[in-house]
Amino acid sequence: MDGPGIDGPSIDGPGTDGSALAPEDELAIRNLLARYGDAVCRRDAGAWIATWAPDCTWDLGGGRVTRGHEQTLALWRSSIAKYAWVAQLPASGTVELVDGQARGRWYVLELNHLADGDGVMHLGHYADTYVRTEAGWRFGVRKFHLIYRGAMEPGEVRPLEGS
C-alpha cells in the first residue's frame, strides 16, 4: 500500500533501508496494537475502527479482504458476532522501516467462545503496514496468517467489569 512517507527524525538501526523509526513513533505504533487488542476484547467497534486509516486494507485470509472503513467494519462486526466472548492478545512483535514504510509483524493469540459455550483458539501473525495520519499512526494494511486453529476447553468466562 502506498502511503505517506515517514516524516521526522530517524536513527541508524535495523530497518532494511538502514534507518529505524524514531523511538516515539515506535512507541505510538506499539500503543496502536494495544488499543486494537483492547477494542476487540471490549467489542468496541468505534475504538476498533479508529485504529485504521480511512483507505485501509484488511486481509483475514480465505478471500476475506476489505478496503476502507465501511467494508472493514462490516467484516469485523460479522466476524465478532459469531462469538459470545473474545480475547485478543497481541504477543511479540517487531516494528521497522522497510523501503521507507513503517511495517511490523505481530503474533496474536485469540481466545473465542461460541454462544453454545464451545471454545476456539487461533494463533497467527499479522503482517502490517502503518501510515501516519492527522490523527496519528494507523493501520494501512493488515494481513493475517493463521498458524493454528483448534478447540479450547470452555472453562469459565467472567466478563470484564467496567468495560
Side-chain angles (χ1 to χ4, degrees):
M1 168 180 198
D2 291 331
I6 307 301
D7 298 319
S10 64
I11 57 175
D12 290 337
T16 60
D17 61 0
S19 59
L21 288 168
E24 60 270 18
D25 289 326
E26 182 173 343
L27 182 59
I29 291 169
R30 289 179 180 276
N31 198 6
L32 175 68
L33 268 289
R35 290 194 323 269
Y36 181 97
D38 180 63
V40 170
C41 292
R42 292 183 300 109
R43 303 172 80 94
D44 185 333
W48 184 84
I49 199 63
T51 63
W52 293 90
D55 61 345
C56 61
T57 299
W58 188 28
D59 184 346
L60 269 180
R64 299 172 297 166
V65 179
T66 66
R67 289 183 176 65
H69 274 184
E70 188 176 328
Q71 288 181 8
T72 300
L73 187 55
L75 178 59
W76 184 75
R77 283 185 167 140
S78 68
S79 296
I80 204 164
K82 299 174 194 170
Y83 305 108
W85 180 85
V86 176
Q88 187 179 87
L89 310 169
S92 60
T94 61
V95 179
E96 62 185 353
L97 282 180
V98 178
D99 299 327
Q101 290 186 321
R103 295 191 186 166
R105 173 187 301 264
W106 291 88
Y107 290 86
V108 175
L109 176 63
E110 192 170 282
L111 309 174
N112 303 293
H113 278 183
L114 298 162
D116 67 5
D118 286 344
V120 179
M121 180 173 60
H122 297 103
L123 174 64
H125 70 82
Y126 272 107
D128 295 334
T129 301
Y130 313 103
V131 295
R132 189 193 314 256
T133 70
E134 289 181 9
W137 287 100
R138 299 294 184 261
F139 295 109
V141 177
R142 293 206 92 189
K143 183 172 183 176
F144 186 69
H145 303 271
L146 183 65
I147 297 169
Y148 173 82
R149 181 179 195 274
M152 182 178 74
E153 289 294 322
E156 181 180 339
V157 176
R158 296 182 182 178
L160 296 174
E161 294 181 24
S163 57

